[in-house]
Structure formats: structure tokens, C-alpha cells
């Protein structure tokens, strides 16, 4: 498995706002926000449920990772998906340990451990009734 998921209540745009707020608490900003639903409609004429890919970045962690391995930028930022499903909204988090598995760099493992802990706290925060809206 290369990620972890949590189901939260919609509506979709409010769910995205919840995800952004929870990421911010853990020091993550969003460098990119890709609207896959819009891209598929514009480029292919295909309708699909709402789907966004958020390129989350914690600058101190990104800096540490780049110091450990300058080529690790190919694996950054930490992607978070927000996807409309039949049952609500699915939020997915890339497991930073994938980065370590690909590089084999022990210094990158320390950064990945920290990022993984932070993203797990985000996932848990979104699971709470207060943020999940359940």
C-alpha cells in the first residue's frame, strides 16, 4: 500500500477546506491544487465525480529531504487526494515511507518518519466527529 485514507462527510468544497485546515495545523501548505474533474472535462470531455490532488509541503521537512538527497525532489510534495465517492468524500495521503523505499537513504527515513507522523495526525483529525462533520 502506498497511502492511507479516511472517509469524511461532504459537501465536497467544505471537505477540501477541512483538509486544508488540518494540513495547516501540521505545518503543511499546498503548493499545487489540481482539479482532476475539471481537467478530464476540459481535455477529454469526460464527466467524473469531484477529485482534487493537493500537493502538500512542509517547508522545513522538504528542505531536510533535499539536503539528504537532492534528487528526492522527484518524490515531493506529499500528495493528498480529495475524491467524491458514493458514500461521501475519501481523503488519501501518500505514505512518505514510499520515498524511503525508493531512495534507500537513511537520512531521508528520518524526514519521512516525521512527515508520516504529521500526516497521520491530519488523518486522525479528519476522523474526529468535529472535523469530519459526522
Amino acid at each position: 500500500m502506498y497511502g492511507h485514507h479516511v472517509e469524511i462527510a461532504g459537501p465536497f468544497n467544505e471537505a477540501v477546506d477541512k483538509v486544508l485546515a488540518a494540513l495547516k495545523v501540521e505545518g503543511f501548505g499546498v503548493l499545487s491544487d489540481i482539479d482532476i474533474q475539471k481537467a478530464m472535462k476540459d481535455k477529454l470531455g469526460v464527466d467524473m465525480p469531484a477529485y482534487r490532488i493537493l500537493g502538500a509541503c512542509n517547508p522545513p521537512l522538504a528542505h531536510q529531504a533535499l539536503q539528504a538527497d537532492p534528487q528526492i525532489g522527484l518524490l515531493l510534495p506529499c500528495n493528498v487526494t480529495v475524491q467524491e465517492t458514493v458514500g461521501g468524500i475519501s481523503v488519501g495521503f501518500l505514505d512518505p515511507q514510499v520515498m524511503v523505499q525508493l531512495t534507500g537513504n537513511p537520512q531521508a527515513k528520518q524526514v519521512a518518519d516525521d512527515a508520516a507522523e504529521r500526516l497521520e495526525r491530519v488523518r486522525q483529525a479528519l476522523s474526529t466527529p468535529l472535523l469530519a462533520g459526522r
Side-chain angles (χ1 to χ4, degrees):
M1 193 71 175
Y2 50 86
H4 307 283
H5 293 82
V6 63
E7 300 293 322
I8 64 174
F12 185 78
N13 288 334
E14 289 179 18
V16 170
D17 289 343
K18 290 175 191 174
V19 172
L20 293 171
L23 286 167
K24 186 175 183 178
V25 168
E26 290 296 331
F28 289 91
V30 173
L31 299 176
S32 61
D33 182 348
I34 304 168
D35 186 336
I36 296 297
Q37 179 188 42
K38 181 179 182 332
M40 294 299 118
K41 182 66 172 177
D42 291 351
K43 303 295 181 186
L44 302 176
V46 174
D47 290 317
M48 65 176 287
Y51 193 114
R52 305 250 297 268
I53 301 173
L54 307 174
C57 178
N58 178 298
L61 293 179
H63 182 259
Q64 290 173 27
L66 289 164
Q67 294 296 346
D69 182 351
Q71 300 306 314
I72 210 161
L74 292 167
L75 303 173
L76 298 176
C78 294
N79 282 330
V80 177
T81 59
V82 184
Q83 178 181 3
E84 189 174 50
T85 64
V86 173
I89 309 297
S90 176
V91 182
F93 302 87
L94 176 67
D95 182 352
Q97 299 303 332
V98 170
M99 173 175 64
V100 176
Q101 293 169 5
L102 292 173
T103 67
N105 184 323
Q107 291 174 316
K109 180 168 180 6
Q110 294 172 341
V111 178
D113 289 346
D114 190 351
E117 290 172 10
R118 291 169 185 264
L119 290 173
E120 178 57 22
R121 287 193 297 264
V122 171
R123 192 179 73 78
Q124 288 177 2
L126 291 169
S127 298
T128 64
L130 180 63
L131 281 179
R134 294 182 180 182

